[in-house]
Amino acid sequence: DTCDPDIVPTFNLIPISTDNWCSRVWKRTWDACDDCGNQAEQRTQQLVITDVYAPEFNTTGDVQYANDTTLYVDCDDPIIDDFTPYIVNDACNGPEVIDPIDEGEPIKCANEYTIVRTWPATDLCGNKAVWVLTIVVEDNYYPQFNETFEDTTVNCTESADFLEGLVGAISLLPDPCGEDVQLVGPTYGEPYNQVCPHTYDIDVEWTAEDCAG
């Protein structure tokens, strides 16, 4: 002002549309008047406040692996059943707890499959972020027999009873992947190293194979 250099403008913030959190409109006005009542032309500014920030995962918390990590694990690895929720921080809406969602399909049997575990986060304004962990489950455990037999020599008069007694003599240890593995046997090979009709060697075999082969 030519006559009054110390005029302080009056500032006002006026809500125009604030019902929608994701797109709010405010109007700012500045008015100035000198001691003689001379009014300056009002200056205005319109503010449109929007939320364009996607949620961000708190990697210093429960997040153990980088996004889009692929893990190869055994079928009894505890991570398969680890559904730890992750925390996301949102610039406009604050923190939120996100539970994981699993999708998966068998690779070649029930004990070998892929889990795609995602933590999807969407804020109130539809901004999205997702954390992905791919878990490839493998069955690396061979069936294990519960008993072992050494080479045995039996008299020819006892051989029939001995071979018959082998039925049910072998069992399997529980499978680490929980599969009900089927035991096949005993099966008897052809006689070899035969010296005479009643003196020979014979192999007795049991086999067990899980679905992973």
Side-chain angles (χ1 to χ4, degrees):
D1 187 81
T2 305
C3 301
D4 187 357
D6 298 323
I7 297 175
V8 178
T10 302
F11 169 76
N12 287 293
L13 183 62
I14 305 169
I16 303 299
S17 174
T18 58
D19 294 337
N20 184 354
W21 171 264
C22 302
S23 181
R24 292 166 289 161
V25 181
W26 295 77
K27 180 180 180 181
R28 295 200 293 188
T29 65
W30 291 265
D31 294 287
C33 183
D34 63 16
D35 292 338
C36 298
N38 299 306
Q39 184 80 31
E41 182 180 353
Q42 186 183 65
R43 294 291 186 265
T44 63
Q45 181 185 49
Q46 180 169 287
L47 299 177
V48 179
I49 303 173
T50 59
D51 179 3
V52 297
Y53 296 104
E56 294 185 354
F57 284 86
N58 182 9
T59 56
T60 61
D62 294 316
V63 177
Q64 302 179 41
Y65 303 96
N67 191 18
D68 286 332
T69 294
T70 298
L71 299 179
Y72 293 85
V73 303
D74 287 321
C75 59
D76 56 350
D77 195 295
I79 196 173
I80 296 173
D81 298 316
D82 181 10
F83 295 98
T84 301
Y86 287 172
I87 296 177
V88 295
N89 296 313
D90 188 77
C92 297
N93 300 305
E96 184 180 359
V97 177
I98 304 298
D99 292 316
I101 299 173
D102 272 7
E103 295 181 356
E105 59 183 26
I107 298 176
K108 60 181 179 180
C109 79
N111 298 334
E112 295 199 326
Y113 51 94
T114 297
I115 299 172
V116 180
R117 182 165 296 165
T118 60
W119 288 260
T122 304
D123 67 14
L124 297 176
C125 300
N127 300 305
K128 298 180 179 181
V130 64
W131 204 268
V132 180
L133 175 63
T134 301
I135 305 171
V136 180
V137 182
E138 301 175 325
D139 181 356
N140 295 310
Y141 297 104
Y142 290 93
Q144 299 291 319
F145 292 105
N146 207 18
E147 298 86 9
T148 59
F149 283 109
E150 301 292 337
D151 290 345
T152 304
T153 300
V154 297
N155 191 286
C156 63
T157 59
E158 303 170 347
S159 61
D161 291 338
F162 178 80
L163 294 176
E164 184 178 348
L166 294 179
V167 177
I170 288 288
S171 60
L172 294 173
L173 293 172
D175 186 71
C177 295
E179 182 181 348
D180 184 16
V181 181
Q182 298 301 309
L183 178 66
V184 178
T187 57
Y188 309 100
E190 295 294 328
Y192 63 96
N193 293 337
Q194 191 165 1
V195 177
C196 68
H198 302 294
T199 302
Y200 54 85
D201 294 336
I202 188 173
D203 292 330
V204 183
E205 184 177 88
W206 290 263
T207 58
E209 183 176 348
D210 63 17
C211 71

